[in-house]
């Protein structure tokens, strides 16, 4: 159902127990709000409950009247919850190195309204894509990095994120390993695109690794970033078929299309409040 101006999204997670759905929907019934869409999942392994509710329209943009009843539920069910206007775009900082297909794709999708995000700035360890950023009217910061300057460079990144109220950092083929400090500071708020179908072919040149193994399918993986390289919770994966006649460069070209699609999907789901961390995995209400 199309969103209206005063539509909102409620997201919540808590230990699983009977009565959660009844309690949550009861609040909306008492307040006279219509539930437009509701998705839920109970994980029998982690024993956690997850829910996403699209509700509205409310009489005004304010949802202050829902704070008291939901704070009461949060206390009763040990619940973490958030209410966010559908119209509020997610502020995204994009980081990139010298390979630009994912960056270009995200910029185009954001400009054409396919992604509900606002991109106030782009950070890169190379100046390559400054003209592209300028063509979209986006602030560009060239922050070179070496082993000796990594801590200082990442400190600048965090300062920029704070200055621009960044909610999500997207690594659009940013070819530097982030420090544990940065990963912890933005925990659950950094998405990376890895150019292989994880957990296969980690690290550098995965397409060349795939070619050497003679694979028939290549893919891409979008995942949350943790201090463990390429080990963060997986958000989305897609594949495309290849054959023996394709060399490494052809695999790279084929893979770039999949990478763009997978990263765009992950960013869209994050911006639409469809992603939940569930220990080392994710719940995705796609």
């Amino acid at each position: 159902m199309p969103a209206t101006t005063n539509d909102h999204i409620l997201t919540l997670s808590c230990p699983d127990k009977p009565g959660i759905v009844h309690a949550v929907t009861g609040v909306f019934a008492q307040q006279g709000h219509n539930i437009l869409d509701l998705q839920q999942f109970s994980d029998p392994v982690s024993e956690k409950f997850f829910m996403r509710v699209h509700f509205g329209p409310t009489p005004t943009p304010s949802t202050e009247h829902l704070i008291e009843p939901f704070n009461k539920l949060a206390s009763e069910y040990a619940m973490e919850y958030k209410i966010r206007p559908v119209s509020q775009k997610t502020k995204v900082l994009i980081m990139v190195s010298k390979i630009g297909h994912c960056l270009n794709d995200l910029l185009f999708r954001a400009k054409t309204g396919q992604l509900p995000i606002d991109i106030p700035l782009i950070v890169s360890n190379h100046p390559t894509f400054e003209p592209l950023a300028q063509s979209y009217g986006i602030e560009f910061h060239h922050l070179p990095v070496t082993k000796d300057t990594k801590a200082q460079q990442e400190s600048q990144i965090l300062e920029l994120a704070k200055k621009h109220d960044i909610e999500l950092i997207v690594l659009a083929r940013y070819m530097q390993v982030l420090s544990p400090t940065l990963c912890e500071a933005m925990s659950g708020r950094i998405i990376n695109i890895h150019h292989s179908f994880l957990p296969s072919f980690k690290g550098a040149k995965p397409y060349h690794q795939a070619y050497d193994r003679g694979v028939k399918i290549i893919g891409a993986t979008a995942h949350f970033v943790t201090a463990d390289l390429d080990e963060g919770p997986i958000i989305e994966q897609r594949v495309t078929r290849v054959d023996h006649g394709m060399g490494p460069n052809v695999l790279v070209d084929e893979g770039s299309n999949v990478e763009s699609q997978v990263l765009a999907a992950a960013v869209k789901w994050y911006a639409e409040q469809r992603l939940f961390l569930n220990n080392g995995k994710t719940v995705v209400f796609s």
Side-chain angles (χ1 to χ4, degrees), residues 20 26 28 40 46 61 63 81 92-93 119 121 183 217 221 225 237 241 248 267 283:
I20 301 171
F28 292 124
Q40 66 186 69
S46 66
T63 55
Y81 79 92
V92 175
L93 185 163
I119 307 169
L121 75 160
C183 292
I217 293 175
T221 303
V225 174
Q237 295 180 295
R241 295 199 64 84
V267 172
V283 173

Side-chain angles (χ1 to χ4, degrees), residues 81-251:
Y81 79 92
K82 180 171 63 175
I83 298 175
R84 184 184 179 97
V86 171
S87 60
Q88 183 178 335
K89 293 184 177 181
T90 299
K91 289 195 174 183
V92 175
L93 185 163
I94 299 179
M95 297 177 63
V96 65
S97 290
K98 294 194 290 186
I99 301 174
H101 56 274
C102 286
L103 170 66
N104 195 51
D105 183 75
L106 290 174
L107 293 176
F108 175 79
R109 290 176 189 266
K111 184 175 182 179
T112 56
Q114 297 179 51
L115 291 177
I117 62 174
D118 176 32
I119 307 169
L121 75 160
I122 297 167
V123 169
S124 179
N125 54 328
H126 298 280
T128 309
F129 295 111
E130 184 169 8
L132 178 62
Q134 290 176 343
S135 73
Y136 279 90
I138 296 174
E139 194 175 302
F140 184 89
H141 291 265
H142 174 214
L143 302 179
V145 61
T146 66
K147 182 179 179 181
D148 295 330
T149 64
K150 192 177 191 70
Q152 179 183 355
Q153 189 244 22
E154 290 191 344
S155 177
Q156 291 177 281
I157 292 169
L158 287 173
E159 288 175 7
L160 287 168
K162 183 178 180 180
K163 176 183 176 182
H164 291 274
D165 297 320
I166 295 300
E167 299 170 87
L168 175 67
I169 293 178
V170 176
L171 307 184
R173 296 299 301 271
Y174 181 69
M175 308 306 288
Q176 294 286 322
V177 178
L178 301 186
S179 72
T181 301
L182 180 52
C183 292
E184 183 177 347
M186 296 292 292
S187 178
R189 295 190 292 155
I190 308 176
I191 292 177
N192 179 52
I193 183 66
H194 184 75
H195 41 307
S196 80
F197 193 81
L198 291 175
S200 301
F201 309 128
K202 300 177 184 178
K205 295 191 173 181
Y207 292 121
H208 291 72
Q209 296 179 51
Y211 173 77
D212 290 340
R213 292 295 301 273
V215 303
K216 305 307 179 189
I217 293 175
I218 59 172
T221 303
H223 64 94
F224 283 111
V225 174
T226 64
D228 297 321
L229 180 63
D230 297 333
E231 295 285 352
I234 291 172
I235 302 168
E236 171 66 337
Q237 295 180 295
R238 297 182 189 178
V239 297
T240 187
R241 295 199 64 84
V242 295
D243 63 39
H244 60 275
M246 297 179 175
N249 291 337
V250 177
L251 298 190

Side-chain angles (χ1 to χ4, degrees), residues 255-283:
S256 66
N257 295 323
V258 184
E259 293 164 28
S260 297
Q261 294 166 12
V262 170
L263 183 58
V267 172
K268 179 179 176 66
W269 293 338
Y270 187 99
E272 292 180 346
Q273 317 303 307
R274 298 180 182 274
L275 291 180
F276 298 78
L277 284 167
N278 183 20
N279 297 329
K281 301 185 293 185
T282 60
V283 173

Side-chain angles (χ1 to χ4, degrees), residues 1-4 6-10 24-38 52-59 63 65-66 70 83 86:
M1 182 176 292
T4 62
N6 290 342
D7 282 10
H8 292 78
I9 300 294
L10 164 73
V24 171
T25 56
V27 170
F28 292 124
Q30 291 166 8
Q31 298 294 331
H33 297 326
N34 192 28
I35 293 176
L36 305 175
D37 180 68
L38 186 154
R52 178 186 186 271
V53 183
H54 177 187
F55 68 95
T58 55
T63 55
H65 59 287
L66 295 174
F70 274 109
I83 298 175
V86 171

